[in-house]
Amino acid sequence: AQARRLLSLAAIYEGATRTEAARLGGVTVQIVRDWVEKFNKDGPPGLIDRKPSGQPPRLAAVHREALAAIIESGPIPATHGVVRWRLIDLMQWLWDEFALSVSKSTLSREVRAMGYRKLSARPRHHAQDPEAIEGFKKGFAAELAKVRATLARDTPIEIWFQDEARIGQKNKITRRWAQRGTRPSAPHDQRTKSAYIFGAICPDQGKGAGLILPFCNTETMSLHLAEITLAVAPGAHAVLLMDQAGWHMTDKLDVPDNISIIPIPSRSPELNPVENIWQFMRDNWLSNRIFTSEKDIVDHCCDAWNKLVDQPWRIMSIGMRGWAKEF
């Protein structure tokens, strides 16, 4: 394109009329005039195609900064009338705050460019103590040292996490791919037969130990501890982190000699990566299905757990926590 324009201007330089130059370049006379002005101003580089500047962005830096702050803080139900932000709510907020009107597609593009996505929220107990959670993380090394002090010198330590998940006929429904604008459906049972997966993982080693049991009590928890002890390496000692459920903390619990229990602070499920294991198993292997009987539930739970144990990299990826490691 630049060469074609230069040839047209060269023809004018040699005495041709602008009409002849326009015919040579295959354009109108007005466009030739524009080429002349650009050449006189910038020389040959002025005849290079440039990306059109287009319209200026609707949101300026001050708008993006305020938008990020309001997204991070979340809506105030009494003020904004909603408990979560939708694009249409943010559009209204921009108008109320800045008298700025933007379309839904424009705002969607802007918030995505700012790094925001619509994600599923992780449940958090309303009465949890954030200071207790941070204190537990910072003090974990000291708790580990106390356990080490009771062991023979150079005894290897494995850090394990334990939890239980109820899997029943009244099953979960998860997201699925579907045509935009449609409302996909999934089977959902209302019957109540169920079973419990007792699961424990050692993220550092990519190991797991689980049992499928009919209920949670001291006896079934003792059975699970016996299962975990079989997975601990010979000569090693397991430090088992779990919540403070009654069947976890009772003095009647039969704790094997190669396991020490460290309780997680109350109402702090995010400290236990087994919670994320349950979410992964439900989302990928156990939800959106009907269990015909209790045996069917047990069979599917066994299949899902065995599939997880056969993927040690999955246990490592989901379960590793920077604060929970053997120093």
Side-chain angles (χ1 to χ4, degrees):
Q2 184 194 33
R4 178 169 57 86
R5 293 161 188 161
L6 286 171
L7 285 173
S8 296
L9 297 187
I12 295 175
Y13 183 78
E14 292 177 353
T17 65
R18 292 191 177 183
T19 301
E20 293 171 337
R23 189 180 302 112
L24 180 64
V27 295
T28 64
V29 173
Q30 181 58 52
I31 293 178
V32 171
R33 293 192 185 103
D34 294 338
W35 290 350
V36 170
E37 291 182 4
K38 292 178 180 179
F39 182 84
N40 291 338
K41 180 181 178 181
D42 299 319
L47 301 178
I48 298 175
D49 285 331
R50 293 182 174 85
K51 184 178 179 180
S53 59
Q55 294 184 347
R58 297 287 294 167
L59 269 64
V62 63
H63 301 140
R64 294 190 183 93
E65 184 178 346
L67 190 60
I70 199 70
I71 291 175
E72 291 289 346
S73 62
I76 302 172
T79 303
H80 302 109
V82 293
V83 296
R84 67 181 179 94
W85 289 124
R86 300 171 300 170
L87 287 175
I88 193 170
D89 302 319
L90 293 172
M91 290 164 57
Q92 183 62 46
W93 179 83
L94 283 170
W95 175 256
D96 294 339
E97 292 292 321
F98 301 101
L100 179 65
S101 176
V102 295
S103 68
K104 190 174 181 179
S105 59
T106 298
L107 185 57
S108 174
R109 185 169 58 251
E110 288 283 354
V111 296
R112 292 181 71 85
M114 293 162 59
Y116 291 101
R117 300 292 187 274
K118 188 182 291 184
L119 304 175
S120 298
R122 181 180 299 177
R124 182 185 66 211
H125 198 286
H126 71 282
Q128 71 176 202
D129 184 357
E131 294 183 1
I133 294 175
E134 289 304 314
F136 180 81
K137 293 179 181 179
K138 294 177 180 178
F140 180 71
E143 292 296 322
L144 207 57
K146 292 179 183 178
V147 174
R148 180 175 291 284
T150 65
L151 305 175
R153 187 174 182 178
D154 297 329
T155 299
I157 289 181
E158 297 180 359
I159 298 174
W160 287 72
F161 296 88
Q162 191 277 343
D163 196 34
E164 303 90 20
R166 180 182 176 275
I167 307 297
Q169 289 177 314
K170 192 176 290 188
N171 204 1
K172 301 288 185 181
I173 293 178
T174 61
R175 296 184 180 185
R176 54 179 296 184
W177 288 103
Q179 285 287 339
R180 190 173 185 178
T182 64
R183 182 72 181 270
S185 63
H188 189 254
D189 202 342
Q190 296 298 318
R191 292 172 294 177
T192 57
K193 290 185 180 297
S194 63
Y196 287 87
I197 304 178
F198 280 66
I201 61 170
C202 176
D204 187 59
Q205 303 290 327
K207 298 189 296 186
L211 290 175
I212 315 302
L213 297 167
F215 40 75
C216 295
N217 61 16
T218 304
E219 181 180 0
T220 54
M221 185 63 208
S222 295
L223 291 174
H224 190 213
L225 290 178
E227 183 72 15
I228 296 171
T229 195
L230 297 176
V232 178
H237 189 85
V239 172
L240 184 62
L241 283 73
M242 54 188 183
D243 61 41
Q244 299 185 36
W247 56 90
H248 291 170
M249 298 293 106
T250 176
D251 294 336
K252 298 179 181 179
L253 192 63
D254 186 9
V255 181
D257 293 336
N258 66 340
I259 293 179
S260 295
I261 295 174
I262 296 180
I264 292 173
S266 301
R267 301 181 287 272
S268 306
E270 57 268 34
L271 288 175
N272 193 340
V274 183
E275 297 281 357
N276 303 107
I277 292 289
W278 299 146
Q279 182 178 2
F280 175 83
M281 291 174 65
R282 291 182 193 276
D283 288 347
N284 294 280
W285 299 330
L286 294 172
S287 297
N288 294 349
R289 64 168 73 243
I290 295 293
F291 299 117
T292 58
S293 63
E294 189 170 2
K295 180 181 182 302
D296 194 30
I297 297 173
V298 172
D299 289 344
H300 279 89
C301 289
C302 289
D303 180 68
W305 183 260
N306 290 334
K307 193 181 298 185
L308 175 75
V309 173
D310 288 340
Q311 301 177 13
W313 63 90
R314 184 86 63 189
I315 295 175
M316 294 177 179
S317 174
I318 298 176
M320 291 295 284
R321 297 294 185 270
W323 55 268
K325 53 186 178 181
E326 209 275 298
F327 295 92

